[in-house]
Amino acid sequence: MRYDNPVLPGFHPDPTICRVGETFYLATSSFEYVPGVPLYRSENLADWEPIGHALTRESQLTVDDADGSSGIYAPTLRYHDGTFYLVTTNVSDDGHFFVTADDPSGEWSEPTWIDAPGIDPDLFFEGDTCYFTYHSGDPENPIQQAELDVETGELGEPKTIWTGFRDPYVEAPHIYERDGTYHLILAEGGTHAGHMVVAARADDPTGPYEGCPDNPVLTHWGRPRDDVRATGHADFVEDGNGEWWLVCLGIRQVGPWPRFHHLGRETFLAPVEWDVGWPVVNGGEPIEAAMEGPLPGDRQTETTALERTDTTFADGLGLEWQFRRHPDRERYETGPEGLCLRGGPETLDEPGATFVGRRQTAFDCRVEATLAFDPGAGEEAGLAVVADDRHQYQVGVTRRDGRREAVVRLRIGDATEVVGRAPVGATTDLAVTADAEEYRFHADGEQLGSASTRYVSTEVAAGFTGVVVGPYATGRGTTCETDAVIERFVYES
Ligand code: 6LW
């Protein structure tokens, strides 16, 4: 059956997957974003529906002092004995922890912290034993493992089980059992063009592991013109028909040379076969945008929230909305009027600014907001395209010299520049239209400015996230006197 990659477009890095019955569940890392660790469900591996988040409470997720692209790193999602386990690392807090749930779309437990260094924790259950495997950060002993007491979070004595095929900074370990053999799947080469998936196997979960003679089993390294690049950080799953699959991160670069990617690291899907007990990904071929495979379920047709948002916020904020760090809830109110935003003193390039957004999930898209706002001097509200605090574009409404006007502002690193202004009324239709290489900013149908997608890309801004678009408000130094009301918001791709 045909399917399109990425199966989860927009920034959905470090995907992890498990199956319960006929249903697949998937989670990705979320860094400083709140709620944390988005969760998706699918019956066919190609069409994914958002079902919630694992980290929704401040007691689970401390990211208020988190820099961009810190906070929550790669998770592992597993199901054992009627319970879902989600283990991850908060690099802005005490490191590794896991939460549990009976229903992944419901509330997850308080964290159980695990005292070990590094990132990329994995859980492998064998009978009553849970093996905790992780990237230690020590290039001499990069992949370590210990037994975990899931009641207390206590760890047994750690031991090194893998030191790398080629890269001492090997990361993202995951262990699986197949026909009595234990398979260790890892990521090497870093999370950009050099990324690769490496395989090893053993007769016992604790090793010793031997490397696959055909390693790496997946990489787009050395293929600079591929549509899909940087594939790696994979998690395997067996479907109900006994077919195996992997989900992994990858990027889609655009633009003139040197190419770049602004949607972040996305989630890709590929079939896995086994040859003399070793995994063969996509028949040994690179991963493509258009793929074929024995999907475990029929394809859906209707679009999902990933592609389209059209809301007056009457029912609150949908699952696609996220904040950069925990928001001051006083500043956000949804209701029959729409989404009322109260701008704080922070501008958008300062932590704590009033902003809520959704992932940009396609190169060609249109974002619109009907804004009712009568700003005081210097107050501003509008739509923003955000990579991080220092790489973002805004089209907003403000008051200057007593006159209400729309303004387009570009922040690229240390430089900030206003590139467009025009007088507007009390209610303004703001819009951002985008294609792979350019954003265009409009007020009441008039284009006031444009900017390249390059300068909000990972190759320029660095980091682990991707572009997020949505409304913002700021008093530019003081708290706004007046609310900005987003009467309607539309995202369509
Ligand atoms: C993730 C790790 C990685 O935990 O980046 O570059 C981290 N590799 O595997 C954040 O995505």
Side-chain angles (χ1 to χ4, degrees), residues 13-14 29 31 73-74 119-120 171-172 190-191 233 265 464:
D14 312 320
S29 47
F31 308 96
Y73 273 33
I119 59 172
D120 296 2
E171 48 195 6
T191 195
H233 203 123
R265 296 168 301 159
F464 289 135

Side-chain angles (χ1 to χ4, degrees), residues 13-14 29-31 69-70 72-75 88-89 91 119-121 135 169-173 187 189-192 195 232-233 249 265 463-465:
D14 312 320
S29 47
S30 53
F31 308 96
S69 291
S70 56
I72 298 295
Y73 273 33
T88 186
T89 313
V91 299
I119 59 172
D120 296 2
H135 164 86
Y169 286 91
V170 51
E171 48 195 6
T191 195
H192 200 268
H195 219 182
H233 203 123
L249 71 82
R265 296 168 301 159
F464 289 135
T465 56

Side-chain angles (χ1 to χ4, degrees), residues 254-255 260 262 363-364 434-438 453-454:
V254 296
F260 55 89
H262 56 296
F363 297 126
D364 301 307
D435 58 35
E437 297 186 22
E438 186 180 62
T453 52
R454 182 185 293 279

Side-chain angles (χ1 to χ4, degrees), residues 48-61:
W48 291 90
E49 174 207 358
I51 59 170
H53 296 80
L55 310 176
T56 55
R57 304 184 301 276
E58 298 211 18
S59 56
Q60 297 169 311
L61 180 60

